[in-house]
Amino acid sequence: MSAGHVPGYAAQRERLEHYFDRTARHAWEQLTSDAPVGRVRRTVRAGRDAMRATILDWLPADMHGVRLLDAGCGTGALSVEAAHRGADVTAVDVASGLVNVARDRAPGFAAPGRIDWRVADMADPSLGEFDHVVAMDSLIHYPLDAIAAVVASLASRTRRSIILTFAPRTPALAAMHAVGRLFPNAKRAPGLEPMAEQALRGALSTVRGWDAGRTQRISSGFYTSQALELVRRG
């Protein structure tokens, strides 16, 4: 089943687009810059910086001639760093506002690689084929069946590795998730979908020709996310 046909996938994608374009664009632009932020957002910024560094460590140091899909690129920090390594990056996000911020921040930077900024669904087959795919904190709002469908779609068009992050099911994260559902707020981001690592591994094990590789959890105050690498067999 394609991602677009998984129940709830399209509706959640539209909620994310609406939230990041109309509610959180300024806050996200500030969070991903060097601008001063409060204590809570500082922990989130530090966690995201650590996660991005981890993912970049898992990618080749020399990416000349390598095609990378930054699936859910946000304001583009990972895309820019990959392009500086020589990668040919396709950077996509459903939120046009975030893509515009990314494009404005890097209008003509000097790098051996290049970036094609696009407003698109990360699972759109028309994006083409890639050597590596990164989905950093872009699947954490989707349920397990949707994540599996997106990864299966990407795997069919990826030659070497897929790196995704998920919200690990921990007591603290589950409690925050429950409280968020008890007290909904129109300005709050669409809820996370905490999940057990073994459940995710089980769902992804059905993607033929791929094996789970490295994993790393990053916890920094109000930021908790876990990276999981999938590598093509053989």
Side-chain angles (χ1 to χ4, degrees), residues 104-123:
D104 289 344
R105 286 181 177 176
F109 65 96
R114 60 180 293 275
I115 305 175
D116 179 12
W117 303 105
R118 298 195 195 184
V119 179
D121 183 342
M122 69 179 80

Side-chain angles (χ1 to χ4, degrees), residues 34-149:
D34 294 328
V37 292
R39 180 182 61 83
V40 170
R41 288 185 179 178
R42 284 200 301 271
T43 68
V44 175
R45 178 186 283 172
R48 285 182 54 81
D49 288 347
M51 179 58 79
R52 185 170 63 255
T54 295
I55 291 172
L56 286 164
D57 281 346
W58 293 358
L59 293 170
D62 183 351
M63 300 185 71
H64 287 81
V66 171
R67 291 206 72 211
L68 171 72
L69 175 65
D70 188 357
C73 64
T75 55
L78 189 144
S79 293
V80 169
E81 293 196 45
H84 277 293
R85 295 186 184 185
D88 179 0
V89 183
T90 298
V92 304
D93 204 287
V94 296
S96 60
L98 297 186
V99 174
N100 287 337
V101 170
R103 188 181 288 115
D104 289 344
R105 286 181 177 176
F109 65 96
R114 60 180 293 275
I115 305 175
D116 179 12
W117 303 105
R118 298 195 195 184
V119 179
D121 183 342
M122 69 179 80
D124 185 348
S126 70
L127 294 173
E129 297 185 353
F130 300 92
D131 296 293
H132 301 278
V133 171
V134 170
M136 176 180 155
D137 294 347
S138 53
L139 290 170
I140 58 177
H141 302 286
Y142 293 97
L144 183 58
D145 56 348
I147 293 176

Side-chain angles (χ1 to χ4, degrees), residues 132-192:
H132 301 278
V133 171
V134 170
M136 176 180 155
D137 294 347
S138 53
L139 290 170
I140 58 177
H141 302 286
Y142 293 97
L144 183 58
D145 56 348
I147 293 176
V150 169
V151 171
S153 173
L154 293 171
S156 68
R157 297 177 284 111
T158 304
R159 291 179 282 271
R160 297 172 64 181
S161 77
I162 298 171
I163 303 170
L164 66 133
T165 65
F166 64 97
R169 185 179 293 282
T170 65
L173 191 57
M176 286 190 288
H177 183 63
V179 169
R181 289 195 171 186
L182 285 172
F183 300 98
N185 184 322
K187 293 185 178 181
R188 184 178 290 125
L192 300 178

